[in-house]
Structure formats: C-alpha cells, structure tokens
Amino acid sequence: MAKLVMAAVTPHNPLLWRAMREPLPDDLRGVAANFALIRDTITELGVDVIIEVGTDHIRQFFGDNQPAFLVGKAESYHGTYENEVRTFGMEYSEITGHRELADLIAGRDVLTEAIDFAVSHEWRLDHGFTIPLHYLTPNFDIPIVPINVNSTLPPLPSPRRFAALGEHLRDTVERWDSDARVAILTSGHMATDVGGPKQFAGSPDPVFDAEAVAWMRDGDLEGAIHGCRYERIIEAGNITYQYVNALTALAAMGGVPADLAEATESRFASSPFFMWKAPV
Amino acid sequence: MSKYMIDKFMRAVEMSDAAVDAYVADTAGFVEAWETASGGTDRPTDDRTLTAEERAAFIARDFEALYVLGAHPYLLWHFTEAIFTHEFTDTFGWRDLVERYRAAVTPYGVPDYIA
C-alpha cells in the first residue's frame, strides 16, 4: 500500500519571488530557511508524488464558474499567467500530473462520499501552486495531483469541509495499491490583507497568527475549526481564509502536533510554515 | 450583477498585458470598447454592462471609488498595480503606491464586496 510520509504547509506569496534573492535580505532569511528545511525533508523521505492543495487566485476559476473543491486530472500542467510574469517576475513552468492518484481521490465512476469534487483536465496553475513548487521541488521532478480549494470567493466551504478533505486524502493514500511515498503539500496565509486597509505592513492580526500557530503546534484540529469561523477570519484580513487550507494537512496527519509550527515574520506578512513527518 | 461586472472588467484588464497597455493608452476608449464587445454565440451570456458610476470610476482610474462600490479587494489591488506600474519613477515606486492606496481605502473599512 502507498504511504503518506509527510505533510507540509508553506506560504505562496509571489512577492517572495522578487524579493528573496541572493544576497538574502535579513527579514527573509527565516522564510528561505524553512523552505529549505521542507525541501530537504521531501528528499530525505523519498517522496514519489505530491498531492498539492492550493487556491487559484481568481485566475482560472472566476465568478462564472467557481468550484468549492476541484481535482486536477491532467497529464501535465502549465504554470503561471502573463499577469504574474508581469507583476511578480515569475517564470513559466511545466509540471507533470499523476492521473492514477487523481482518479482515486476524485472517484472515477461515482463521486466520493467525502467531497463533491469537480475535476479539470485542463488547468493552468497560478502562484498558489507554482511558488511552493519552485522552492520545494525546483526541478519539478515529482509528479503532482493539484487540488483547488476555494478560499477566495464566497460562499466558501466551511473549515470542517477542509478537515474532511484531509481525512479523505489520507484514506485514499492508505487504500492505494502502490508502493508510492506520498506527501501532502498545502499553501496559504497567516493573517493577510491584500487590497484592504492593512496590506503589506506586517501581520494585520498577530493575535490570530499566534492562535493559528498554536493549533498546529498542539494538533488541535477542533480548536482550528472553531477558530476559523468566517467572521473571525475576515477580521484578521480579507484573504486570511487561505489559512484554512492548512487544516487539510493537519487532518490528513490525524490531528497530531506538527514537527514544525511557525509564523515566520517578514516585511510582507507572517508566513505559515508547518510540517509533519509520519512515524517510521 | 454590478459588483460582478466591476470584478469582471478588472480581471479582463489585469490578466492581459495587451489589455493593460490598451487601457492605459486610451482609458475611455477601452471602457467603451469592452462594453460593446460581442463574445459570440458560444457563450452563455455576454453581459458587460457597467453603471454610470462604475464607468466613470474606470475612466478616471479611481481605485478609491471602485473600492467603495464593492470591487473585490484582491482584484482591485492587482488591477491598480497593473495600471499604475508604468508611472513608477525614481521617486515614486511600488511601496509609494501601496501607501497611497492604503490611505485612500482606509476610511471605508471593508465594504461588502461579495458579488
């Protein structure tokens, strides 16, 4: 059977792509070090395939058709868009998909009992997916199953649904007849405001950040679900809901304390870095 | 449909270098052309109607007005960034635009932007 060997949560802030260059600015050394730690862990654990849970930023999925949960079933994915090359200096990328695992996750004939997934055979990944891969698998040499979770355009799936997704991913990996070693990678934010009154001036809500780190450090899934109610999240910043993506990783690992739990400070906002290694 | 149309317009501009260039070069002309464009018969709708207030805000490149009208903040910031970046100089850059934008929207808190 396949084995879920690790899960991780990283930021996907595309401003990092511009700013985190050698020589590293002092305020971004912690961010770079945590990306390196997770990258080294992926290598150390011999990960064969990555289930990447992230959020499209109103690029492919707009108000004309916004799925709550969507599984990528493509053989390969093209990364980033013209506007992200223009605005952030990002690079185009080509990423291999993993159709067999995607079919298992989404349901091939009948939708899973856990989540009503949409599927896509044609998906261009934005920075929510490509930034973590640029830092963690820079050669794009590990195939992925991308899963889009709507954390941006209300109405949003509730936090408990994100936990259900994590439990479903763990169950799917455990019943996959394969010797593959699987990682779950999610990306998101701590308290973050983009386009609002509190943008790009450090964390807009350090109290939320501290609580949000503690849920991961302590393995407190129920606390996280309760603490991520919509009204509290919006108070912490208008796109903070992408923090809820992290609940998928916590639930997938059985709600146990993370080996790494940190909100790494930088000039932009605090960056989420959480990681779990499965017991050997 | 109004907030949705604001978001749809901003997205149409920001996602394309050619659209950004055309909007900046002839803002009123671009708005008029966008509203009158036909999408063809294979599309479910071809709704591109802005209110007079929304149209005026886009023609004036008035991000403060768009914020108050309920533009999605994430889209509005990136739209603003796209259409003002060409005005950056040695003495006015990205951080200055951030500060100008923040000062403009702060008095309004967080308007209802759910389309």
Side-chain angles (χ1 to χ4, degrees):
Chain A
M1 289 296 114
K3 182 170 173 56
L4 181 61
V5 295
M6 66 176 290
V9 182
T10 76
H12 58 243
N13 181 351
L15 294 170
L16 294 172
W17 192 251
R18 264 211 215 123
M20 203 160 64
R21 301 281 170 180
E22 294 290 346
L24 279 176
D26 286 344
D27 71 305
L28 296 177
R29 288 183 189 280
V31 172
N34 280 330
F35 270 123
L37 173 64
I38 296 173
R39 181 174 65 240
D40 291 346
T41 303
I42 289 172
T43 302
E44 169 202 332
L45 295 178
V47 170
D48 299 306
V49 56
I50 293 173
I51 301 170
E52 188 179 22
V53 178
T55 297
D56 172 84
H57 292 72
I58 326 178
R59 301 304 166 204
Q60 176 146 334
F61 308 116
F62 181 58
D64 56 345
N65 196 348
Q66 179 64 242
F69 297 98
L70 177 142
V71 177
K73 294 179 72 167
E75 299 294 340
S76 65
Y77 301 89
H78 186 62
T80 209
Y81 288 80
E82 191 173 352
N83 65 312
E84 298 195 326
V85 174
R86 174 192 347 113
T87 305
F88 308 119
M90 287 179 59
E91 298 169 7
Y92 292 108
S93 50
E94 300 295 334
I95 303 150
T96 303
H98 198 297
R99 177 60 191 268
E100 181 185 354
L101 182 54
D103 276 345
L104 278 176
I105 292 169
R108 181 174 174 79
D109 304 309
V110 178
L111 284 173
T112 166
E113 297 285 335
I115 301 280
D116 295 326
F117 289 110
V119 298
S120 178
H121 293 262
E122 195 173 344
W123 181 4
R124 190 167 171 182
L125 302 172
D126 81 353
H127 72 270
F129 293 85
T130 60
I131 285 285
L133 295 178
H134 272 299
Y135 290 119
L136 299 181
T137 60
N139 297 320
F140 301 108
D141 50 359
I142 299 179
I144 69 166
V145 178
I147 299 179
N148 182 63
V149 288
N150 174 22
S151 313
T152 305
L153 289 181
L156 304 162
S158 72
R160 197 167 292 282
R161 298 288 280 164
F162 286 75
L165 173 64
E167 290 158 2
H168 173 67
L169 295 178
R170 182 188 64 220
D171 292 344
T172 301
V173 171
E174 286 176 351
R175 61 185 166 78
W176 182 19
D177 184 14
S178 164
D179 59 1
R181 298 171 65 79
V182 182
I184 291 176
L185 169 63
T186 85
S187 76
H189 301 290
M190 306 307 292
T192 303
D193 204 49
V194 176
K198 299 177 283 188
Q199 68 170 349
F200 309 137
S203 174
D205 193 334
V207 173
F208 174 83
D209 287 350
E211 291 176 3
V213 168
W215 298 323
M216 300 298 162
R217 183 194 63 220
D218 301 338
D220 183 5
L221 182 57
E222 282 302 315
I225 289 170
H226 176 73
C228 289
R229 62 194 186 282
Y230 180 75
E231 294 75 14
R232 175 66 184 99
I233 289 274
I234 290 302
E235 186 185 317
N238 60 30
I239 60 168
T240 307
Y241 210 81
Q242 289 186 26
Y243 170 82
V244 182
N245 299 358
L247 271 58
T248 298
L250 175 61
M253 299 309 287
V256 301
D259 299 299
L260 168 69
E262 185 175 303
T264 312
E265 292 183 11
S266 77
R267 73 191 71 175
F268 302 119
S270 298
S271 294
F273 281 102
F274 309 124
M275 184 171 71
W276 297 256
K277 291 164 71 170
V280 177
Chain B
M1 294 290 283
S2 197
K3 289 175 191 168
Y4 178 71
M5 283 302 142
I6 293 174
D7 292 347
K8 183 171 174 174
F9 181 92
M10 293 192 300
R11 180 173 181 267
V13 172
E14 197 242 330
M15 292 287 283
S16 159
D17 287 350
V20 170
D21 291 345
Y23 177 73
V24 169
D26 178 10
T27 305
F30 183 94
V31 173
E32 182 182 354
W34 186 81
E35 283 200 278
T36 56
S38 170
T41 56
D42 63 337
R43 297 174 59 172
T45 63
D46 191 23
D47 191 351
R48 298 185 179 203
T49 305
L50 300 170
T51 66
E53 208 174 9
E54 293 162 357
R55 188 178 305 111
F58 279 125
I59 290 173
R61 293 196 288 161
D62 186 345
F63 51 76
E64 179 178 336
L66 290 166
Y67 189 79
V68 175
L69 288 167
H72 192 289
Y74 182 89
L75 288 171
L76 178 60
W77 166 249
H78 288 294
F79 170 76
T80 300
E81 200 173 35
I83 64 173
F84 285 103
T85 298
H86 71 286
E87 294 183 3
F88 288 173
T89 64
D90 289 345
T91 55
F92 183 84
W94 182 81
R95 182 52 74 176
D96 302 299
L97 182 63
V98 168
E99 299 298 337
R100 180 192 288 181
Y101 178 98
R102 190 161 49 210
V105 305
T106 293
Y108 306 104
V110 182
D112 179 3
Y113 57 82
I114 299 175

